[in-house]
Amino acid sequence: MIPTLRARFQQRFTPAGDGGPPDRFDRRLIAPMVLGSVLNPVNSSMIAVALVPIGSALGAPPSQTAWLVSGLYLATAVGQPVIGRLVDMFGPRRLYLIGTAMVGVAGLLGSVAPNLGALVAARVLLGFGTSAAYPAAMHLTRSEAERTGRDSPAGVLTALAVSAQTVSVIGPTLGGLLIGLGGWRTIFLVNVPLSLACLVLGALRLPKATKIAKGADRAADAGGVPVPAARGIDLPGMALFAALLVALMVFLMKPRAEDWYLPVLALLAGAAFARRELRVPEPFIDLRVLGGNGPLLATFLRQFLSYTTAYAFLYGFTQWLEEGRGLHAAAAGLVLLPLSLTGLLVSAITGRREAVGGKLVVGSLVQIAGCAAMLTLQAVSALWLLAAIGALMGVPQGLNGLANQNALYRQADPARIGSAAGLLRTFMYLGAMAASAADAAFFQHGADTGGLHHLSLFMLAGAVLLLAVTVIDRSLGTLTPRKA
């Protein structure tokens, strides 16, 4: 009797990294994984309601306050794969704790920033800090699968996706509440208790060492030295990758003929990056392996295509609701509510079934239907029709992102799961930037109905291409959990 009780106690309370149950995912990891992963979406969404009060308080026009959004996007797009690679090398615990600590520091700096420049710097630091948790969570998920021998983490991956979607939905509401209680600086200050919670949970629950598929221990405690670290970090490769991405994304934010040098700079940095990564023994991104992994490259392309259409709808449709349809901002927000609710509902219902190919086919088909429906909209269209189109476009929002995440988990090299997960997020932000550029191109003279129809055709082309890339990729049919 006593041994049985002792075994049950150890099975329930022993951390995974310290000899926990050999056949069960350590659920104590879920809280720090989820809480850390939502830091980025909550900060991305809260800022939407703070741009106007920040501009009024600091005397900055919208063209300048926009950098509060772009700065976070740029830092995150660069930081996710870079920090993800460091997670692969040094283990998730150390990078998780460093990243979440940076979030608290950035929150403090933002709460006392005297001018817009300092505020943008705080947002950039916030972007880098929030880049650690998602790659760490994906690394931990892979490590637990290898430890338990049960490679079916659909529930955990769904929790990560649904929590990020939920926070994105409530972010603007939370931001408005915080601003009403203590002014716009509270949306920065709220990161301090969030950071402290992550630090406490991370220190108590994250294992000090993890094992990956190849069986190599990755020491991550204060005294451990990971084996790959002895070979050196590819700092030049990371710098060239950052230069490539920053030049490309800055150009995509506002494409102009006079900025021709930015895509040229991106091409030069890309060529130098490829040359280096093919020559060094321990590259930042192993282009040899990545180039030979066609299914993973297709997943990155699908991520870009699906989020280009999703963000083009989110940005462009919202602008049209207010300018072309003449709705108040509050009314436009209510019209978009079905978009978020449908996305959450679809993710929750389908999350435990991987079915990657099926989800992507259905998601792209519904995107095509939604884009086609947008072509019928007029300035006098009924509110129920607008809400119905929003609900329709919420279906692919709940399917595509989760399907691409599951595909990457199966396709990526287990030893580089962190950097691969970071790259997946980078392609998402590239899609957001491409969508923003499309909105600017089609709404040059305001968000009128003619511009919306042209934007719809652009989105329709992307959705059709997404369907084609999905249908011809036969590898999606083989993405099934490995048996222990």
Side-chain angles (χ1 to χ4, degrees):
M1 182 68 176
I2 294 178
T4 301
L5 291 175
R6 181 182 300 141
R8 289 180 179 177
F9 178 86
Q10 291 177 344
Q11 177 175 331
R12 183 169 182 178
F13 295 104
T14 304
D18 298 319
D23 60 348
R24 185 178 303 175
F25 189 96
D26 185 4
R27 295 186 177 275
R28 298 174 75 246
L29 299 175
I30 295 178
M33 287 167 58
V34 169
L35 184 58
S37 296
V38 302
L39 291 176
N40 187 271
V42 75
N43 279 286
S44 298
S45 56
M46 283 195 303
I47 196 67
V49 295
L51 295 177
V52 172
I54 289 174
S56 300
L58 301 180
S63 60
Q64 293 182 8
T65 56
W67 278 102
L68 294 171
V69 178
S70 302
L72 182 74
Y73 274 168
L74 280 171
T76 307
V78 174
Q80 290 266 2
V82 170
I83 297 178
R85 178 58 183 146
L86 297 178
V87 166
D88 292 331
M89 296 176 68
F90 295 98
R93 176 187 170 94
R94 179 181 297 177
L95 273 300
Y96 180 95
L97 295 176
I98 293 174
T100 51
M102 288 173 62
V103 170
V105 173
L108 284 175
L109 292 177
S111 68
V112 298
N115 52 53
L116 185 64
L119 207 57
V120 171
R123 288 280 292 179
V124 169
L125 183 62
L126 197 59
F128 282 118
T130 59
S131 294
Y134 180 70
M138 292 292 284
H139 186 106
L140 284 165
T141 303
R142 167 61 68 183
S143 300
E144 281 295 280
E146 294 300 326
R147 182 185 67 83
T148 62
R150 300 175 64 178
D151 193 18
S152 55
V156 178
L157 295 178
T158 301
L160 292 175
V162 172
S163 60
Q165 287 185 14
T166 303
V167 168
S168 296
V169 172
I170 68 173
T173 303
L174 175 61
L177 178 62
L178 291 172
I179 292 172
L181 292 174
W184 61 264
R185 292 186 185 274
T186 56
I187 70 166
F188 287 89
L189 198 58
V190 72
N191 285 290
V192 176
L194 291 175
S195 170
L196 290 175
C198 288
L199 287 172
V200 171
L201 287 171
L204 292 177
R205 297 188 176 185
L206 296 187
K208 293 185 177 182
T210 60
K211 290 188 177 183
I212 60 173
K214 294 180 180 179
D217 288 328
R218 304 258 175 176
D221 56 328
V225 179
V227 173
R231 302 178 185 176
I233 302 173
D234 184 17
L235 292 177
M238 292 179 178
L240 288 169
F241 175 79
L244 159 67
L245 209 56
V246 169
L248 179 61
M249 294 185 73
V250 169
F251 180 75
L252 287 176
M253 287 177 195
K254 194 174 182 180
R256 297 181 303 178
E258 55 265 36
D259 293 334
W260 59 268
Y261 62 91
L262 288 173
V264 172
L265 179 61
L267 286 174
L268 293 175
F273 172 73
R275 178 182 175 86
R276 174 173 175 80
E277 299 306 278
L278 291 172
R279 293 190 173 192
V280 296
E282 285 292 326
F284 161 49
I285 297 177
D286 196 336
L287 296 182
R288 299 181 189 87
V289 174
L290 187 62
N293 193 341
L296 182 58
L297 293 176
T299 294
F300 289 146
L301 176 59
R302 285 191 296 267
Q303 181 84 339
F304 172 77
L305 292 171
S306 59
Y307 276 97
T308 297
T309 300
Y311 277 110
F313 177 79
L314 182 62
Y315 298 153
F317 187 62
T318 304
Q319 285 181 263
W320 177 81
L321 287 175
E322 297 184 35
E323 295 185 32
R325 182 59 175 76
L327 297 181
H328 187 273
L334 289 176
V335 169
L336 285 173
L337 188 59
L339 168 74
S340 303
L341 294 179
T342 304
L344 290 173
L345 184 62
V346 169
S347 292
I349 292 175
T350 65
R352 288 191 173 274
R353 293 180 58 86
E354 294 197 21
V356 172
K359 287 180 180 179
L360 288 169
V361 168
V362 173
S364 55
L365 286 173
V366 176
Q367 270 192 345
I368 291 172
C371 295
M374 288 173 63
L375 292 171
T376 68
L377 292 178
Q378 301 296 330
V380 294
S381 294
L383 291 178
W384 68 264
L385 177 60
L386 306 180
I389 290 177
L392 189 65
M393 294 299 285
V395 174
Q397 185 183 45
L399 291 175
N400 292 342
L402 183 57
N404 287 325
Q405 178 181 258
N406 287 339
L408 175 130
Y409 179 83
R410 301 294 174 198
Q411 295 164 338
D413 177 5
R416 289 176 174 263
I417 187 68
S419 55
L423 278 173
L424 188 70
R425 285 286 182 94
T426 295
F427 278 91
M428 180 183 77
Y429 288 118
L430 285 173
M433 293 299 175
S436 180
D439 289 340
F442 295 119
F443 291 157
Q444 290 185 20
H445 305 293
D448 56 19
T449 302
L452 179 69
H453 289 166
H454 286 104
L455 178 65
S456 301
L457 290 173
F458 168 81
M459 294 166 55
L460 182 61
V464 170
L465 185 56
L466 173 62
L467 177 61
V469 173
T470 301
V471 170
I472 64 176
D473 187 359
R474 296 186 178 182
S475 69
L476 294 177
T478 66
L479 295 180
T480 55
R482 295 195 301 268
K483 295 182 180 180

